[in-house]
Structure formats: C-alpha cells, structure tokens
Amino acid sequence: MTKARLLRLSVVLVSIFMILLIIVYWDNVGTAHFYLHTSFSRPHSPGAIPGITAGEDWEALPDVDEFLAKLLSSSLKQNSSIPRKTEQLLIQGSNKPVVSNLEENVRGYDWSTHNDRNSLDQEKLQIERQRTLREFCANSSFTFPTKERSFDDIPNYELNHLIVDDRHGIIYCYVPKVACTNWKRVMIVLSESLLDQGVPYRNPLDIPREHVHNTSTHLTFNKFWRRYGKFSRHLMKIKLKKYTKFLFVRDPFVRLISAFRSKFELENEEFYRRFAIPMLKLYSNHTNLPTSVSEAFGAGLKVSFSDFIQYLLDPRTEKMAPFNEHWRQVYRLCHPCQIDYDFIGKLETLDEDAAYLLQLLKVDRLLRFPPSAWRQQLYKLYEADFVLFGYPKPENLLKD
C-alpha cells in the first residue's frame, strides 16, 4: 500500500514539474517570442476607457487559467517595464537610406502633443462605438452567421488575424484594406519581432512590405496550439482579459471598392489566376483566357466591378472556399461579438483615432503612425486648386 502511494505521489510531482518546465520553456519556441519580462497589466489604467471593466471577471477563470495567470504574473512583476535601451532606440530617428518606393519613404505624422479636448471627444466616441457594438451583439432580433457561438467555438484557423504583442500587452486584429500594412509595421516595432542586422526595427516605414505581410513575422492566436498545446485556449483567454485589444474598420462598400481596385485593376499574378480567371469565365463568358495577367491586361481582359459583385453574391463561391481576407466580412475576421474590444478605430477618422490609441497604449512618444503616401503627395501637388476654388479636402480618398 505504501509503495503504491509513493508511486502515485511521484507521478503527480513529475507531472507538475513537467508542466512548470513547459511553461518556462515555451517562450523559446517559434518565430515570435513570448517575452517573460512582459507585464500582464493593461498599458492604460482601468478608467482610461470608461465602460470597460478590465478585470471584474478575472476571478471567474477556470482552475487552469488561474494557475497559469498566477504563475506567469509572479514571474513577470519584476520586469514589467520596457527596457530603457528600447525606448531610446524607438525615440531616435531612422538612419536608413532613402528607398525607391515612394510609399515606404514618407514620414509619419508627429503626434507628440495632444489636446485635452480632443482626448475627451475621443473618449466619448469610443464609448459610443463600443455601446453600439455591444447592443447589436446582444440584440436577439439582429442575426448573422456565427453570431451566437462562443470564443471556444471559433476554429483555430479563424484566429489568424489576431496579432499579439506581449511586450506591451496589446492585441491587434488586422482588417485588410483598412491601413493594416502600417498597423502591422507598428506592431513589429513594438514587439521587436523582426530584426535588421541583429537590431530591432525602430521606424515602421523602414520595414520592407514583403516582411510586413509575411505570416512568420507575427505572433498570432492561430499559432498558439502548436506552441502551447492544450494550454493554448486558456492562455488566449488570459491575454484577451488582460491585454488591450483594438481593431480598425471602414465603410464596408468603400473597403470592397478598395479591394477591387488594388487586386483587379492592377496587375496581380496571384489574384488573376486564383480569382480573375474564374470570374471572367463565369460572369463574362470568356473561354481561352491567357495564363498570365500581363497578357490578359494587354488583350484588354480585366474583371469588371460587376463581375466582382456577382462573384461575391454567387452562393457557389463560398462552397468552394471561404472569402479571401481582402473582402471577407470584419465580423468573420475579428469576431467582435466574442471578443470585447477596448478600442474601435475607423479609417474615416484615422488620424484622430490613431493618435488617441497610441496615447492610450502609452507608446505615442516612441513612434508615429505612417500615413498613406502617393495620394497625400498628390493632394499637396493640387492643394492650391482645392483651396482657391473652395473644394473640400478629400479626406477619405487620402486614406488607404
């Protein structure tokens, strides 16, 4: 009997030791690091965004969540601040040489000063946006697919748009065609997930576009399973409760137009083969189409906006594959009825929203959000005509 008890006790102790070993070791796995010097507290105070209850349901976590939270929190208390060296790197300007791509060569706005009145207006605006979202998520008469499912019901592959920055306690859900390229750049700088000659990037615009959209650059929720195994969902919930979560959205129809223009009015080999050829065959009655986009454009064969809309409305489309992320609905990318977002930005008010968000995250002194490039400079070229003859500045067209 005594031997049996000793054996059971040994098994339990070994199991506990292995779990602790895995938890301590997991930050060395994968392309993006889970920094053990990260603070689990939000970058802003609980009252920074009225209406948000930061930790009132923290006690309701399951046992495993509580265990992970206590263990990790105790390890992180002493190293919660950003290293001084990193702050200095981010504050300094870029020493990169000028690059040929105009879009990558435009300086960001300087939002080093903030008006108290603007902050107050932004605070009220956030309360209203969050209230609208929560009301419609709770309204049983307003229905749409996947609305009623829980966070646990969301498949892992549908969590691939949630980018995590453990260094500052931030989660960003990116929506294509809503300034996501530059927000991804910001996340790379903050998380230090990408190095240039051994040094983390400190200027968002220095980061090459091909790296920005490389999935290996970012730590996203869908990667948690292969990194943390059965603890992945529990860890996600802890981060969702303790981190600041934000997304940026855009008028849905304008976003569709932007997606169409960038993917089908410009030569894009991938989108021509995957989407344009089927659209031209199905909705424009073309047969023997060229195999390359350059040949197709040379022959005047382009997808029309009408073709694109028919493709979206065709019930056969999603039977073959889910919508591409560039025109997939935001509720399917970011799950706003399952995730309680702390900040909802809109492209139509990008300047004000971005400035206020960086201030809330306490990183506004470390970096600047880059603006769109070509259209900003084009407006500058014709600014006198706009002003002299009373035309309003086309704010929406100046944003990507």
Side-chain angles (χ1 to χ4, degrees):
M1 181 65 71
T2 304
K3 290 184 179 180
R5 287 181 179 177
L6 287 174
L7 181 60
R8 286 198 295 270
L9 181 60
S10 300
V11 171
V12 171
L13 289 174
V14 170
S15 300
I16 293 173
F17 175 77
M18 290 302 295
I19 291 172
L20 291 173
L21 184 62
I22 291 170
I23 292 172
V24 172
Y25 183 72
W26 62 27
D27 75 309
N28 293 320
V29 184
T31 57
H33 298 292
F34 177 83
Y35 290 87
L36 289 179
H37 57 263
T38 301
S39 170
F40 266 87
S41 59
R42 292 183 186 276
H44 54 72
S45 63
I49 307 179
I52 298 294
T53 52
E56 64 183 10
D57 51 354
W58 177 249
E59 296 177 358
L61 286 172
D63 292 341
V64 177
D65 293 330
E66 186 177 355
F67 167 72
L68 284 172
K70 287 180 178 178
L71 180 68
L72 291 173
S73 295
S74 63
S75 301
L76 302 174
K77 284 180 181 177
Q78 58 184 355
N79 294 314
S80 61
S81 61
I82 305 171
R84 184 68 181 172
K85 182 180 178 182
T86 302
E87 286 193 21
Q88 293 171 347
L89 284 174
L90 289 172
I91 292 173
Q92 295 171 2
S94 169
N95 296 319
K96 285 279 186 177
V98 175
V99 292
S100 58
N101 189 337
L102 182 61
E103 181 179 0
E104 315 303 331
N105 193 30
V106 178
R107 293 182 59 196
Y109 294 125
D110 184 2
W111 292 327
S112 57
T113 60
H114 300 282
N115 185 293
D116 290 339
R117 175 63 183 275
N118 290 341
S119 295
L120 182 62
D121 292 341
Q122 273 288 326
E123 195 172 291
K124 292 179 179 178
L125 185 61
Q126 283 302 313
I127 293 173
E128 178 61 26
R129 288 175 180 173
Q130 291 168 13
R131 183 189 64 79
T132 300
L133 175 61
R134 289 173 183 144
E135 282 185 359
F136 280 105
C137 284
N139 188 342
S140 58
S141 62
F142 177 67
T143 61
F144 55 85
T146 74
K147 178 189 174 185
E148 300 301 328
R149 67 182 178 180
S150 68
F151 178 75
D152 286 329
D153 295 328
I154 302 174
N156 222 40
Y157 64 86
E158 289 187 18
L159 299 172
N160 62 330
H161 279 242
L162 292 155
I163 298 176
V164 181
D165 167 25
D166 284 310
R167 299 187 70 252
H168 299 86
I170 301 170
I171 296 174
Y172 163 51
C173 184
Y174 72 90
V175 179
K177 310 313 300 176
V178 190
C180 77
T181 299
N182 283 332
W183 278 117
K184 285 181 178 181
R185 285 186 166 116
V186 168
M187 294 295 285
I188 290 171
V189 170
L190 292 176
S191 65
E192 297 186 354
S193 61
L194 189 64
L195 304 180
D196 178 34
Q197 297 180 347
V199 179
Y201 281 97
R202 56 182 179 265
N203 184 335
L205 281 176
D206 286 343
I207 305 171
R209 193 179 185 91
E210 62 268 21
H211 294 331
V212 173
H213 296 296
N214 188 329
T215 57
S216 66
T217 303
H218 306 279
L219 173 61
T220 49
F221 266 5
N222 66 308
K223 296 178 181 179
F224 275 37
W225 174 253
R226 65 174 178 264
R227 294 184 63 180
Y228 309 131
K230 64 181 181 180
F231 293 110
S232 59
R233 286 282 164 156
H234 299 298
L235 191 57
M236 288 180 203
K237 290 178 182 177
I238 291 175
K239 293 178 187 293
L240 287 173
K241 289 179 184 295
K242 301 298 287 183
Y243 285 13
T244 300
K245 305 165 291 296
F246 78 93
L247 78 164
F248 271 77
V249 296
R250 184 181 194 175
D251 179 296
F253 284 174
V254 177
R255 179 173 169 245
L256 275 184
I257 294 170
S258 177
F260 171 78
R261 292 170 66 182
S262 68
K263 301 305 177 186
F264 299 113
E265 287 191 345
L266 303 176
E267 291 190 13
N268 186 308
E269 198 68 49
E270 178 190 359
F271 277 76
Y272 173 72
R273 292 181 178 179
R274 288 182 58 191
F275 303 107
I277 288 178
M279 289 184 203
L280 290 169
K281 289 181 177 179
L282 285 171
Y283 312 116
S284 292
N285 296 320
H286 288 291
T287 51
N288 303 314
L289 290 165
T291 56
S292 72
V293 66
S294 57
E295 291 180 73
F297 274 42
L301 296 171
K302 293 185 179 181
V303 169
S304 68
F305 193 64
S306 174
D307 294 336
F308 180 54
I309 297 303
Q310 289 182 78
Y311 167 81
L312 296 176
L313 298 177
D314 192 332
R316 296 172 294 180
T317 298
E318 288 219 271
K319 289 182 180 179
M320 292 185 288
F323 276 176
N324 179 269
E325 63 176 4
H326 291 86
W327 47 83
R328 193 179 309 163
Q329 299 92 324
V330 176
Y331 75 82
R332 297 171 62 185
L333 296 172
C334 296
H335 319 289
C337 288
Q338 289 77 28
I339 297 174
D340 190 15
Y341 285 94
D342 302 293
F343 188 94
I344 303 168
K346 294 191 175 183
L347 193 70
E348 293 81 0
T349 53
L350 176 64
D351 295 354
E352 300 85 354
D353 289 355
Y356 184 58
L357 174 61
L358 294 178
Q359 186 181 15
L360 286 179
L361 298 175
K362 300 187 185 302
V363 297
D364 54 322
R365 302 284 179 177
L366 305 182
L367 49 74
R368 297 168 297 183
F369 181 77
S372 300
W374 290 348
R375 281 170 284 181
Q376 291 282 353
Q377 294 204 348
L378 187 63
Y379 172 77
K380 194 66 181 174
L381 189 64
Y382 290 92
E383 184 176 21
D385 286 354
F386 276 96
V387 174
L388 292 174
F389 299 103
Y391 288 100
K393 185 176 180 179
E395 298 285 357
N396 290 342
L397 294 179
L398 294 177
K399 298 179 175 66
D400 188 5

